[in-house]
């Protein structure tokens, strides 16, 4: 899985769907369930932070899919990732896949590390530094603002 995608060679495929999927998963389980987790790890204002995180993941993910306002939405998305790294994933090390055992029921995995969060951060950085591609909304806006003679 690399940072290529349909909007250009520099687009960030993992970020495009991944953020939205995480936000939708939190909505499906109920924002209250996520707020309870945030409260348990000591996050202040857990209900506000739960809804903020969900909105950042869903709306930020949609913006990245469209290539719209990528530089702007990358900041809160990066903050969500950094908070996840330092409050949840860091104690479990780098690897996002920890095979603990293989039983008759199938593979058993341990808690994920921060590897995937770093991948998402790298893809956001690639989008910010390299642009979101020629078909992205940002590119279309840029063309309208600076028409060729």
């Amino acid at each position: 899985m690399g940072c290529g995608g349909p909007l250009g060679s520099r687009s960030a495929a993992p970020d495009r769907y991944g953020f939205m999927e995480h936000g939708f998963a939190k909505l499906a389980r109920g924002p209250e369930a996520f707020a309870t987790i945030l409260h348990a790890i000591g996050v202040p204002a857990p209900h506000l932070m739960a809804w903020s995180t969900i909105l950042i993941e869903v709306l930020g993910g949609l913006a990245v899919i469209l290539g719209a306002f990528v530089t702007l939405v990358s900041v809160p998305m990066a903050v969500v990732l950094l908070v996840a790294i330092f409050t949840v994933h860091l104690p479990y090390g780098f690897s996002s896949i920890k095979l603990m055992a293989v039983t008759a029921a199938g593979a058993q995995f341990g808690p994920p590390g921060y590897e995937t969060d770093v991948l998402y951060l790298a893809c956001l950085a690639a989008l910010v530094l390299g642009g979101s591609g020629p078909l992205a909304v940002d590119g279309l806006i840029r063309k309208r603002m600076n028409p060729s003679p």
Side-chain angles (χ1 to χ4, degrees):
M1 179 163 48
C3 289
L7 296 179
S9 62
R10 296 183 206 133
S11 61
D15 282 358
R16 294 190 182 283
Y17 179 68
F19 268 96
M20 289 183 72
E21 176 57 30
H22 284 267
F24 288 141
K26 289 173 179 74
L27 280 174
R29 290 184 193 103
E32 287 295 319
F34 185 52
T36 300
I37 293 167
L38 294 178
H39 178 71
I41 62 173
V43 173
H47 290 89
L48 174 65
M49 297 309 289
W51 276 105
S52 297
T53 302
I54 291 167
L55 289 172
I56 288 167
E57 289 175 342
V58 172
L59 298 178
L62 180 61
V64 170
I65 286 172
L66 297 174
F69 314 106
V70 172
T71 302
L72 180 66
V73 299
S74 291
V75 173
M77 293 170 83
V79 169
V80 166
L81 289 166
L82 291 169
V83 169
I85 288 171
F86 290 108
T87 62
V88 178
H89 301 290
L90 195 62
Y92 304 114
F94 179 74
S95 182
S96 63
I97 299 175
K98 292 188 179 57
L99 182 61
M100 304 301 281
V102 177
T103 67
Q108 306 294 312
F109 296 96
Y114 56 91
E115 177 182 9
T116 304
D117 297 314
V118 172
L119 173 65
Y120 284 148
L121 285 168
C123 289
L124 284 173
L127 282 171
V128 169
L129 297 174
S132 51
L135 301 177
V137 171
D138 285 345
L140 298 173
I141 291 171
R142 212 171 8 263
K143 284 180 187 176
R144 284 198 174 183
M145 300 294 278
N146 303 318
S148 299

